[in-house]
């Protein structure tokens, strides 16, 4: 998944949770629950779930295994579960 995330999800045109439209300049973030791009409002909803801290820790561990890195994340797949990004097409 991590090697394909940029092509398939980085420039999603809608939030996978609420279907709100996303323009290339709109910030989005990957869900720690299903790894799909979501809007920042839906991310705030995720963060209020009682299991968010545990799921976040598990996501970090899984990401590191997927990317086979101890430190860093050059493709952004793990990083963008926790930091917003915009579509980088250009």
């Amino acid at each position: 998944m991590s090697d394909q995330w940029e092509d398939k999800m980085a420039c999603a045109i809608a939030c996978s949770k609420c279907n709100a439209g996303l323009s290339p300049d709109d910030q989005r973030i990957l869900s720690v629950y299903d790894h799909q791009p979501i809007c920042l409002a839906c991310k705030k909803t995720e963060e209020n779930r009682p299991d968010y801290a545990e799921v976040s820790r598990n996501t970090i561990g899984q990401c590191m295994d997927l990317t086979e890195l101890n430190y860093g994340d050059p493709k952004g797949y793990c990083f963008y579960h926790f930091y917003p990004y915009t579509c980088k097409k250009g």
Side-chain angles (χ1 to χ4, degrees):
M1 172 72 82
S2 63
D3 61 339
Q4 298 171 5
W5 91 271
E6 200 161 16
D7 291 336
K8 294 188 176 192
M9 298 185 295
C11 290
I13 60 171
C15 173
S16 67
K17 300 289 183 206
C18 71
N19 290 318
L22 295 170
S23 75
D25 293 330
D26 288 334
Q27 288 190 321
R28 69 224 47 216
I29 197 161
L30 298 179
S31 169
V32 297
Y33 291 92
D34 63 10
H35 313 289
Q36 297 299 307
I38 57 176
C39 67
L40 297 185
C42 286
K43 180 62 174 181
K44 287 202 180 290
T45 300
E46 270 194 1
E47 290 172 345
N48 288 323
R49 290 177 57 165
D51 62 344
Y52 180 78
E54 179 181 352
V55 172
S56 292
R57 283 190 298 274
N58 290 338
T59 296
I60 292 168
Q62 291 169 356
C63 277
M64 291 295 107
D65 287 344
L66 277 174
T67 59
E68 298 179 10
L69 299 171
N70 290 325
Y71 301 102
D73 181 23
K75 292 188 180 183
Y77 178 73
C78 296
F79 184 81
Y80 291 131
H81 282 81
F82 303 98
Y83 297 96
Y85 65 94
T86 58
C87 178
K88 294 181 180 173
K89 280 189 175 179

